[in-house]
Amino acid sequence: MFIRLILISLGVSADSFAVSIGKGLTVRKLEVRHHWLVGLWFGGFQALFPLIGYFAASLLEDYVTAVDHWIIMGLLGIIGINMIREAVFEPDEEEGSEQGEAGREETDSEETGSKAIAYKEDQPSTQAKEPFSWRNMLPLSIATSIDAFGVGASLALMDVNIWLAVLVIGTVTALASMLGLRIGNLFGARWCKPAQIAGGIILIAMGVQIFMEHLGILP
């Protein structure tokens, strides 16, 4: 069961990992506190939302016991498919940034130097001065943790110690977020989509495995 929790944790942490890579792209010089901030924000919310989902689903456990294996497979499958869909069909942020850079270079060559400088100076003003402030991190933490609510609901239908589960999920997400921040700062956004696809595949596989175990196909 602990191995299963690790795999589920890796799956749900994929979004936080990908967002952290994006964060790493926006910071020229990473500090130690930046790693702690992304770890605490993303890890904390990824631990909180499964806990909420678990207790919400526990209220309905008596009514869904007969079909719990279908619900578990459905929840994990939907979350996994959605993660893969977002990774495959959403526009690549790195490509967008490259196009933006190309546009700015063309502007530099066609317009006066003063206009180009003014344009570049305006760019940072569209972003928060502190990318790790609570105003930036709170909505990101909630957005990346919504899937974890569904995972928590599925855990309520399994024989799982929820306190151990949220500890594992929070810890794995925190470490994945710190790693993603570093990777984004060093190598760019090329690992965002592979991470999301891998996370989706893991969750789908876990749902299918649990379903087959319930049917007796797997021991």
Side-chain angles (χ1 to χ4, degrees):
M1 180 55 69
F2 185 74
I3 299 300
R4 178 175 291 172
L5 282 178
I6 292 292
L7 292 175
I8 290 176
S9 301
L10 289 172
V12 297
S13 68
D15 280 345
S16 298
F17 177 77
V19 171
S20 295
I21 290 177
K23 278 288 179 186
L25 290 170
T26 66
V27 182
R28 290 186 177 181
K29 183 178 180 181
L30 282 179
E31 300 176 7
V32 173
R33 69 184 184 92
H34 295 152
H35 295 83
W36 283 109
L37 284 170
V38 295
L40 290 173
W41 275 104
F42 292 139
F45 273 80
Q46 286 283 15
L48 176 63
F49 272 62
L51 190 63
I52 297 173
Y54 177 89
F55 286 114
S58 295
L59 299 175
L60 304 173
E61 185 176 4
D62 292 339
Y63 303 97
V64 299
T65 301
V67 292
D68 58 357
H69 53 293
W70 287 98
I71 296 174
I72 293 170
M73 183 177 69
L75 285 172
L76 296 181
I78 290 171
I79 294 170
I81 290 171
N82 187 57
M83 290 174 66
I84 295 173
R85 180 190 61 79
E86 289 177 352
V88 172
F89 295 106
E90 285 191 353
D92 194 329
E93 292 183 2
E94 189 174 45
E95 290 178 0
S97 64
E98 288 176 355
Q99 292 174 358
E101 290 293 335
R104 285 193 292 273
E105 289 176 3
E106 187 176 345
T107 301
D108 289 345
S109 64
E110 293 178 354
E111 297 183 355
T112 64
S114 59
K115 278 189 176 183
I117 292 173
Y119 177 82
K120 289 181 179 179
E121 288 178 347
D122 286 344
Q123 283 301 103
S125 65
T126 64
Q127 301 175 354
K129 293 181 179 179
E130 175 53 70
F132 297 95
S133 68
W134 70 269
R135 290 182 179 84
N136 283 307
M137 295 303 299
L138 179 60
L140 287 176
S141 300
I142 294 175
T144 56
S145 301
I146 291 175
D147 289 346
F149 179 89
V151 171
S154 69
L155 291 176
L157 306 175
M158 300 162 57
D159 185 19
V160 174
N161 182 326
I162 186 58
W163 302 108
L164 174 62
V166 297
L167 177 62
V168 173
I169 291 172
T171 301
V172 170
T173 301
L175 293 175
S177 301
M178 293 178 180
L179 178 62
L181 186 68
R182 173 60 62 179
I183 289 175
N185 189 251
L186 293 177
F187 303 111
R190 69 185 66 181
W191 296 104
C192 287
K193 290 188 175 182
Q196 287 180 295
I197 293 172
I201 291 173
I202 289 173
L203 292 181
I204 293 171
M206 292 304 301
V208 172
Q209 180 191 19
I210 292 169
F211 181 78
M212 295 178 71
E213 285 178 356
H214 182 88
L215 297 180
I217 299 175
L218 293 177

